[in-house]
Structure formats: structure tokens, C-alpha cells
Amino acid sequence: MPEFKILNHVIDYMEATGSTYKLVTLSVDQELVDQINEQNKTSYTLTELEKATDKCLAHEWLEHATMGGGKYGSLRITPKGVGAARSKRKSEEQKASRGPLKKASDYVEDHKGLFVVLGFLLALATLSLKIFEG
């Protein structure tokens, strides 16, 4: 999700420079696209990051710091955006540190509809063998 890449980019910059969210502004331009793609080994386009920025503005994760910067210029992360990004980052770290049994359990949970269909097909095949065998 590119919106969290933008938010994490701002937070990483804040932590590297010791700045608060009130002091850091960003503009969504080709330079930011290049930085995010290099940092995350992705290949986002400027249009994709502009759409992600629209989502961030809609969720109030980003706001305009000053007037006259245009739609994608002079943006600042909000406390709500900092919280959303840190929550997402923590969730991903916890997901990555799961054990193999938990990963298998989560896979089954995520794909339970598929397992129900496979169980139904197996039961149907067994029933048809019983009926047509005799």
C-alpha cells in the first residue's frame, strides 16, 4: 500500500533528524517517488503516489502545512497519520515474526472458503463412488 510507504518515509525522516511532525513537510513529486522506490525496492509511479496521497488526505493522515503549495505540495503528516503508520508497521513486524504453526493456521483461516469447497467436492466424489459402485 503506497500510502503507508509515504507515511513511513516521513516518520523515518523525522526519526533520522530528530524532528517532530510539525517541522517536516513534503511534496509529492518525482524526487519523492525516486526516494520511496529506492528505499523500499518498489516501482511506484508519480500518479500512484498522488492517488495514495489523496487517500492519506481523505483519512486525515496528511494535511496541507501552508497555502499555495498546490494539491501535492507542502504537506505535513498529522498525529493520526503517525499513529496509523506506526500501527501498520507494528502489525507487519508481528506478522513477520510468527511461527510456522501460526502461519499455517492463518493460511487456513484466510482460505477457509477454498477448504470448504474442496471438502464438498471430496464428499460428493465419495458419495458418487458409493452410489455408482454398487
Side-chain angles (χ1 to χ4, degrees), residues 13-117:
Y13 179 81
M14 288 169 41
E15 291 174 351
T17 60
S19 303
T20 65
Y21 75 94
K22 294 177 184 178
L23 300 175
V24 178
T25 60
L26 74 142
S27 294
V28 180
D29 53 14
Q30 191 58 46
E31 182 181 344
L32 180 68
V33 173
D34 295 339
Q35 290 173 357
I36 288 177
N37 284 336
E38 182 181 328
Q39 183 181 18
N40 297 293
K41 297 177 178 67
T42 55
S43 58
Y44 293 118
T45 64
L46 180 58
T47 305
E48 290 173 321
L49 287 189
E50 286 175 347
K51 286 181 182 180
T53 302
D54 290 338
K55 286 183 183 179
C56 290
L57 289 167
H59 289 289
E60 297 179 342
W61 295 338
L62 292 175
E63 65 184 5
H64 290 95
T66 60
M67 299 302 283
K71 185 173 182 179
Y72 301 111
S74 190
L75 298 171
R76 174 175 50 213
I77 194 168
T78 64
K80 193 174 179 181
V82 172
R86 288 190 175 149
S87 175
K88 178 75 170 176
R89 187 181 281 179
K90 185 174 181 178
S91 171
E92 288 174 354
E93 288 172 358
Q94 288 176 340
K95 194 173 183 179
S97 67
R98 299 176 303 179
L101 289 177
K102 178 64 176 155
K103 286 181 183 178
S105 170
D106 288 345
Y107 183 82
V108 169
E109 181 67 26
D110 291 342
H111 299 90
K112 62 184 166 195
L114 178 63
F115 288 108
V116 169
V117 169

